[in-house]
Amino acid sequence: MGRSNGTSSVVGFTLLGLSAHPKLEKMFFVLILLTYLVILLGNGLLILVTILDPRLHTPMYFFLGNLSFLDICYTTSSVPLILDSFLTPRKTIPFPACAMQMFLSFAMGATECVLLGMMAFDRYVAICNPLRYPIVMSKAVYVPMAVSSWAAGSTTATVQTSLAMQLPFCGDNIINHFTCEILAVLKLACADISINVISMGVANVIFLGVPVLFISFSYMFIIITILKIPSAEGRKKAFSTCSAHLTVVVIFYGTILFMYGKPKSKDPLGADKQDLADKLTSLFYGVVTPMLNPIIYSLRNKDVKAAMRNLVTQKCFTQ
């Protein structure tokens, strides 16, 4: 690496991953590989049924197909790198590859935040204004909504990645993480990162705070509307149409709050344990949540279960 003014021209970064815990690496390699295969199979099957079954050609399932595709993209941007790090201690990743991985993971995360908000709005209109639903959520509306989610996520990812990659980096450039996670990369910068911090704060408000408030208010009105339904069967049927989405929202945001909201340990021994816990929590967020999404929607949604049964039945008969 060439040096200039005390900083280094970065060729690549070294990912520590779980190199300090070799026994865990072998176990997690198998677990993550199996989980990744389930993610590809589950989300791929969900995309397939939403395309092939005419009964699922509705806004809710269009958003669900986007969510499944997003989960495949998100995990594919990081899981192969994680698996490789388990096999290669202190893996080195080139600077451009690190920037691309950072962009993809940030873009997919931001897009999912917006997309979950769009899905909450869809459920709000369906339950609170059912007669206006075909008009409010027409194809001319829900397709641009999905496109804007992807555009917003990609835009903020471009900004955050560009700001991070323009920083000078010093030292060994060792990232104490599985992937090029943006906060872990910023710790290596040997320059003022106040602009990055402010930019990240603004992005968090827009892509975390605003969607959470939007989802909360949407479900507040949804619950009020459901409670006004006179029959218990009607209330149960209405709630069943949004229970899967609500479960996914709780898992998604709950994991984020757990990762970034818990206090940091000041004890060195406790810090080491917390560091391992942070990595494993990040791993859970990166692979388990995308795996759970298609399972939740297939188990808690009669239309999806019926569509999957029909797809399997047709496949069997064609053979």
Side-chain angles (χ1 to χ4, degrees):
M1 293 185 184
R3 292 184 176 274
S4 175
N5 297 327
T7 66
S8 60
S9 176
V10 180
V11 174
F13 295 96
T14 300
L15 302 173
L16 286 186
L18 290 176
S19 56
H21 307 274
K23 292 183 179 179
L24 289 179
E25 284 186 317
K26 296 177 182 178
M27 179 182 70
F28 276 102
F29 176 84
V30 176
L31 289 176
I32 300 303
L33 177 60
L34 292 175
T35 303
Y36 182 52
L37 294 176
V38 172
I39 289 170
L40 295 179
L41 179 63
N43 285 287
L45 187 59
L46 206 52
I47 293 172
L48 195 60
V49 296
T50 56
I51 293 174
L52 297 180
D53 196 315
R55 293 173 300 176
L56 302 185
H57 292 175
T58 63
M60 181 174 73
Y61 297 112
F62 177 76
F63 289 133
L64 180 56
N66 274 263
L67 183 64
S68 292
F69 180 68
L70 185 151
D71 283 338
I72 290 175
C73 293
Y74 179 78
T75 51
T76 301
S77 72
S78 59
V79 170
L81 185 62
I82 293 172
L83 292 174
D84 192 24
S85 71
F86 289 151
L87 299 175
T88 310
R90 297 172 70 89
K91 174 174 177 58
T92 299
I93 179 172
F95 186 81
C98 183
M100 179 57 68
Q101 194 275 321
M102 182 189 296
F103 167 80
L104 289 173
S105 61
F106 202 100
M108 297 304 106
T111 301
E112 184 159 358
C113 290
V114 180
L115 196 59
L116 289 174
M118 301 288 189
M119 295 172 77
F121 177 73
D122 172 75
R123 292 300 84 207
Y124 162 76
V125 177
I127 294 174
C128 299
N129 297 283
L131 297 179
R132 289 177 52 82
Y133 183 76
I135 301 172
V136 176
M137 294 302 295
S138 65
K139 191 172 183 179
V141 174
Y142 69 76
V143 171
M145 286 172 66
V147 171
S148 65
S149 299
W150 288 91
S154 299
T155 300
T156 188
T158 301
V159 173
Q160 302 303 331
T161 303
S162 298
L163 289 175
M165 291 297 104
Q166 287 174 9
L167 292 169
F169 298 95
C170 307
D172 298 325
N173 295 317
I174 297 175
I175 299 176
N176 190 18
H177 210 276
F178 298 107
T179 62
C180 291
E181 201 265 344
I182 190 165
L183 295 179
V185 172
L186 290 179
K187 291 179 181 178
L188 303 178
C190 49
D192 182 22
I193 61 170
S194 56
I195 294 178
N196 301 77
V197 172
I198 293 171
S199 178
M200 288 280 290
V202 172
N204 286 339
V205 170
I206 295 173
F207 290 93
L208 287 175
V210 173
V212 166
L213 285 176
F214 188 79
I215 292 169
S216 300
F217 279 109
S218 295
Y219 273 101
M220 182 179 70
F221 288 114
I222 287 172
I223 291 171
I224 292 172
T225 302
I226 290 176
L227 292 176
K228 290 180 181 179
I229 298 175
S231 68
E233 185 64 28
R235 290 194 296 270
K236 182 180 178 181
K237 184 177 180 181
F239 184 73
S240 67
T241 63
C242 58
S243 60
H245 173 257
L246 186 58
T247 304
V248 169
V249 166
V250 170
I251 293 174
F252 180 78
Y253 285 106
T255 308
I256 292 177
L257 290 175
F258 180 79
M259 278 199 308
Y260 299 110
K262 62 180 186 298
K264 301 296 181 182
S265 174
K266 295 181 180 179
D267 176 59
L269 183 60
D272 290 339
K273 292 180 179 178
Q274 181 176 295
D275 180 61
L276 177 60
D278 289 344
K279 289 181 181 179
L280 296 181
T281 304
S282 174
L283 202 58
F284 173 89
Y285 170 76
V287 297
V288 178
T289 303
M291 180 190 71
L292 290 177
N293 288 350
I295 296 174
I296 291 169
Y297 272 99
S298 60
L299 290 178
R300 302 184 68 89
N301 191 293
K302 293 180 180 179
D303 292 334
V304 173
K305 284 193 286 187
M308 286 187 174
R309 280 198 299 268
N310 290 339
L311 182 64
V312 172
T313 303
Q314 291 174 4
K315 184 69 175 177
C316 291
F317 278 121
T318 54
Q319 291 177 348

